[in-house]
């Protein structure tokens, strides 16, 4: 989680509020790298005695800890609260306004999905104004390697994992039932695309699964930098030319970065 400036003391605040803000300032100063009372006091603008009193209280309450030869560090209470906050913030509820924003901006279909095993599980779908309705639906599952959002969820995987997921995604008999004339991309083509997607932090669906359907997707990360979900913007080819796809990359990455920040990721 990105740290704010630890200088949060407000001189005009009531005494109790000012003490609270100074205490929070101590925590933020330690989070920003301050390890001793002198540096903490400099950052929050308090005397050494006041800083010592605040820091001692925070150590007693386990919001800070003191490690010999190191100094002040964030304490176990913050870890407990961080996990509790994450558990109390359902992803679907949190992501809803972001999907609404993308829908309003683009007019395209927007999805939120997570990874379950080797498949994508769609959690939210905002149907777009552009083009016909897509087959995707909430609760629908697809092989990871066949969708843009699935590839976004695979960005941290190894190339060995990519190959396994690519191979199990191939349709039986080599033909897509929804698109019999479709020529499947080779493993080498798939691998090259994935390397490009990893470098860019996004993924495309270039009619890989369904005729005329393209999408741009990006991953959502948590405080541990793990990919926990993905968002995609999808539409039919007439509404999703390659030029538009390139323009959508920073848009979807910007939204997933903001959502990741709400989950505790450093952006």
């Amino acid at each position: 989680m990105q740290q704010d400036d630890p200088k949060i003391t407000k001189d005009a605040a009531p005494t109790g509020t000012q003490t609270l803000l100074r205490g929070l300032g101590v925590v933020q100063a330690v989070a920003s790298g301050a390890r001793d009372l002198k540096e903490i006091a400099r950052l929050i603008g308090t005397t050494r005695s006041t800083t010592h009193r605040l820091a001692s209280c925070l150590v007693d309450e386990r919001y800070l800890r003191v490690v010999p030869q190191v100094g002040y560090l964030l304490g176990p209470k913050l870890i407990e609260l961080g996990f509790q906050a994450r558990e109390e913030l359902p992803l679907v509820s949190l992501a809803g306004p972001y999907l609404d924003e993308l829908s309003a901006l683009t007019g395209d279909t927007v999805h939120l999905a997570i990874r379950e095993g080797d498949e994508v599980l769609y959690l939210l779908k905002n149907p777009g104004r552009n083009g016909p309705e897509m087959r995707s639906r909430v609760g629908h599952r697809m092989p990871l390697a066949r969708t843009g959002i699935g590839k976004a969820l695979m960005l941290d995987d190894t190339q060995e994992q990519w190959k396994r997921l690519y191979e199990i995604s191939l349709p039986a008999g080599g033909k897509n039932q929804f698109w019999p004339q479709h020529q499947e991309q080779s493993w080498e083509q798939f691998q090259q695309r994935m390397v490009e997607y990893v470098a860019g932090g996004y993924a495309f669906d270039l009619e890989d699964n369904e005729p005329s359907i393209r999408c741009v997707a990006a991953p959502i990360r948590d405080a541990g930098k793990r990919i926990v979900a993905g968002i995609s913007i999808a539409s039919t080819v007439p509404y999703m030319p390659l030029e538009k796809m390139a323009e959508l990359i920073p848009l979807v990455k910007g939204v997933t970065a903001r959502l990741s920040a709400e989950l505790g990721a450093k952006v």
Side-chain angles (χ1 to χ4, degrees), residues 96-236:
Y98 291 92
L99 268 67
D100 293 341
E101 176 184 331
L102 287 174
S103 292
L105 286 171
T106 67
D108 299 318
T109 298
V110 184
H111 299 101
L112 172 75
I114 60 172
R115 178 174 185 166
E116 285 209 345
D118 298 335
E119 296 179 314
V120 169
L121 172 62
Y122 290 95
L123 300 182
L124 280 179
K125 176 184 178 181
N126 280 22
R129 303 184 299 272
N130 300 332
E133 177 73 10
M134 298 181 187
R135 289 191 296 119
S136 60
R137 65 184 185 278
V138 174
H140 187 54
R141 297 173 185 268
M142 289 294 298
L144 284 165
R146 297 208 69 85
T147 67
I149 202 166
K151 296 185 189 82
L153 296 170
M154 293 167 55
L155 292 184
D156 288 350
D157 286 6
T158 65
Q159 296 207 17
E160 289 75 16
Q161 291 170 316
W162 290 348
K163 188 169 186 180
R164 183 185 68 82
L165 292 167
Y166 162 80
E167 290 175 345
I168 64 175
S169 74
L170 295 174
K175 295 294 183 182
N176 187 320
Q177 61 175 318
F178 299 104
W179 197 2
Q181 72 274 23
H182 176 57
Q183 179 64 46
E184 293 291 335
Q185 61 182 323
S186 67
W187 156 243
E188 290 74 19
Q189 291 171 320
F190 182 87
Q191 179 187 37
Q192 180 56 42
R193 283 190 190 175
M194 287 299 298
V195 169
E196 295 172 2
Y197 298 155
V198 169
Y202 68 93
F204 282 170
D205 179 347
L206 295 169
E207 302 180 79
D208 299 320
N209 183 58
E210 192 174 350
S212 189
I213 299 299
R214 291 176 175 173
C215 87
V216 181
I220 300 165
R221 297 180 182 273
D222 65 8
K225 299 183 180 179
R226 295 171 300 230
I227 295 175
V228 294
I231 288 177
S232 70
I233 304 173
S235 193
T236 55

